[in-house]
Amino acid sequence: MSLLQVIEVSHSYNSKKLFKSKDTSNKVLHNISFSIEEGTCLGLLGTSGAGKSTLGKVILGIQRPQQGQVLFQGYDIYNADKITKSKIRRDLQVVFQDSYSSVNPRMTAERIISEPLENYEKLTLIEKRKTVISLLERVGLNEKDLKKYPNQFSGGQLQRINIARAIALKPKLIVLDESVSSLDMVTQALILELLSELKDDFGLSYLFITHDIKAAFSISDKIGVLEKGELIERYDSKDQFFKSQHPAIKRMRDSILAEHPRDRSINRNSSLT
Ligand SMILES: Nc1ncnc2c1ncn2[C@@H]1O[C@H](COP(=O)(O)OP(=O)(O)OP(=O)(O)O)[C@@H](O)[C@H]1O
Ligand SMILES: [Mg+2]
């Protein structure tokens, strides 16, 4: 059984029943189906407005779709009983793009990372602190960072705190919505490396949402491409992606610049090889 199954999900934000009947022009998601296996990363590529974050929210249980189902470990996340829903919330975590707005500026790193532990685990103060320190260390920070506030961290460091919070409860699936997009290239590469390590160490699965082809290929086992709310293509390898003749994929490929200006007019895909 797949860890996550998305079955024929459609969604539109316009809920006015009067206009709901035949007009599909405002549909943000059209009949989306795919699955994610345990321990794997599905990269979800798409241009701005394609519906990626909406799909992420549907999977996280934040946005009930108008049609279709989301099954997590076989349970329908919108129709499960209370106990199952609480277990699913624990196993499904998220890291957003903007590391600063994802945290309460008045909380220390220790409190930020402790929050999920307080909600789900009964730990003594000493156990909690030990757990938070080991989480900080796991994401490349340390005990000295416990008492720091968000404004005392760089964007990359704060994203590490967000990742520590997301893995605190040893979840099964993390939705990473443009989680590295606002970081500089070097920091981006380091965070991607960290995410790959954590995936292997904890057997995590990811839905890696991005508009960045290079980032998607560096971490994903499979790639799906969302275009105007439709899952237009799926790939198991980089090769398949680069051979695709789909006009939307061609546009995406053409938008990648080669690393050196000299190569840009001849081979636009060379930056990925
Ligand atoms: N809460 C909302 N209410 C109404 N419309 C919304 C809402 N959230 C998103 N939309 C619309 O749904 C469409 C898809 O938005 P979404 O945020 O899912 O795209 P995205 O692929 O994540 O884009 P980006 O790459 O810019 O983050 C857009 O047209 C957007 O305006
Ligand atoms: Mg988005």
Side-chain angles (χ1 to χ4, degrees), residues 52-269:
K52 305 181 297 297
S53 295
T54 303
L55 185 55
K57 286 180 200 158
V58 165
I59 289 166
L60 287 163
I62 303 169
Q63 180 66 61
R64 183 189 272 267
Q66 285 163 338
Q67 284 162 34
Q69 276 184 307
V70 179
L71 305 186
F72 186 77
Q73 295 184 311
Y75 295 101
D76 181 333
I77 67 166
Y78 287 97
N79 294 309
D81 60 66
K82 231 174 139 184
I83 295 170
T84 311
K85 272 189 183 166
S86 157
K87 163 115 185 50
I88 293 171
R89 268 199 297 276
R90 180 186 174 135
D91 282 340
L92 247 174
Q93 297 290 325
V94 62
V95 178
F96 291 109
Q97 172 170 5
D98 187 348
S99 53
Y100 285 100
S101 63
S102 304
V103 294
N104 182 336
R106 293 195 191 90
M107 284 188 179
T108 60
E110 180 171 23
R111 275 194 65 201
I112 293 168
I113 301 171
S114 297
E115 233 182 5
L117 296 168
E118 279 160 15
N119 292 338
Y120 280 94
E121 308 236 335
K122 288 191 174 67
L123 300 177
T124 64
L125 281 175
I126 293 169
E127 284 168 339
K128 201 166 65 184
R129 173 155 294 182
K130 262 177 87 177
T131 309
V132 173
I133 292 171
S134 77
L135 284 163
L136 277 171
E137 286 171 350
R138 189 61 199 81
V139 298
L141 299 169
N142 61 55
E143 198 174 340
K144 287 189 204 133
D145 297 310
L146 276 175
K147 299 292 168 206
K148 287 188 190 162
Y149 287 90
N151 65 1
Q152 294 174 284
F153 292 106
S154 69
Q157 287 170 330
L158 202 54
Q159 204 55 314
R160 288 175 191 270
I161 305 264
N162 281 314
I163 293 168
R165 177 175 58 184
I167 60 169
L169 295 169
K170 300 195 174 68
K172 298 255 184 274
L173 176 69
I174 304 183
V175 174
L176 300 157
D177 189 352
E178 303 279 9
S179 309
V180 297
S181 305
S182 50
L183 306 171
D184 65 76
M185 294 303 278
V186 175
T187 313
Q188 212 179 85
L190 291 170
I191 299 282
L192 285 170
E193 205 179 297
L194 170 68
L195 288 169
S196 292
E197 280 170 22
L198 294 172
K199 174 172 163 277
D200 294 343
D201 290 359
F202 295 107
L204 286 169
S205 305
Y206 295 143
L207 175 67
F208 185 77
I209 295 175
T210 184
H211 61 274
D212 181 341
I213 300 179
K214 202 170 173 179
F217 276 108
S218 77
I219 190 168
S220 310
D221 302 292
K222 291 184 180 183
I223 297 276
V225 180
L226 200 64
E227 161 93 345
K228 293 186 186 136
E230 281 183 65
L231 191 58
I232 52 167
E233 302 264 289
R234 260 169 281 194
Y235 305 99
D236 290 332
S237 73
K238 210 195 276 194
D239 267 10
Q240 283 177 353
F241 179 84
F242 282 101
K243 281 181 192 147
S244 170
Q245 292 305 307
H246 195 292
I249 313 289
K250 280 184 169 174
R251 273 199 303 279
M252 269 190 187
R253 284 195 307 243
D254 288 348
S255 69
I256 312 166
L257 286 179
E259 265 153 24
H260 196 287
R262 178 191 59 213
D263 304 325
R264 284 180 190 161
S265 56
I266 334 166
N267 181 5
R268 293 182 144 196
N269 301 328

Side-chain angles (χ1 to χ4, degrees), residues 5-24:
Q5 279 174 276
V6 173
I7 306 168
E8 295 172 7
V9 161
S10 293
H11 186 68
S12 145
Y13 283 107
N14 184 354
S15 58
K16 283 183 193 158
K17 291 208 169 72
L18 195 62
F19 303 114
K20 212 172 152 185
S21 54
K22 283 183 186 156
D23 182 17
T24 55

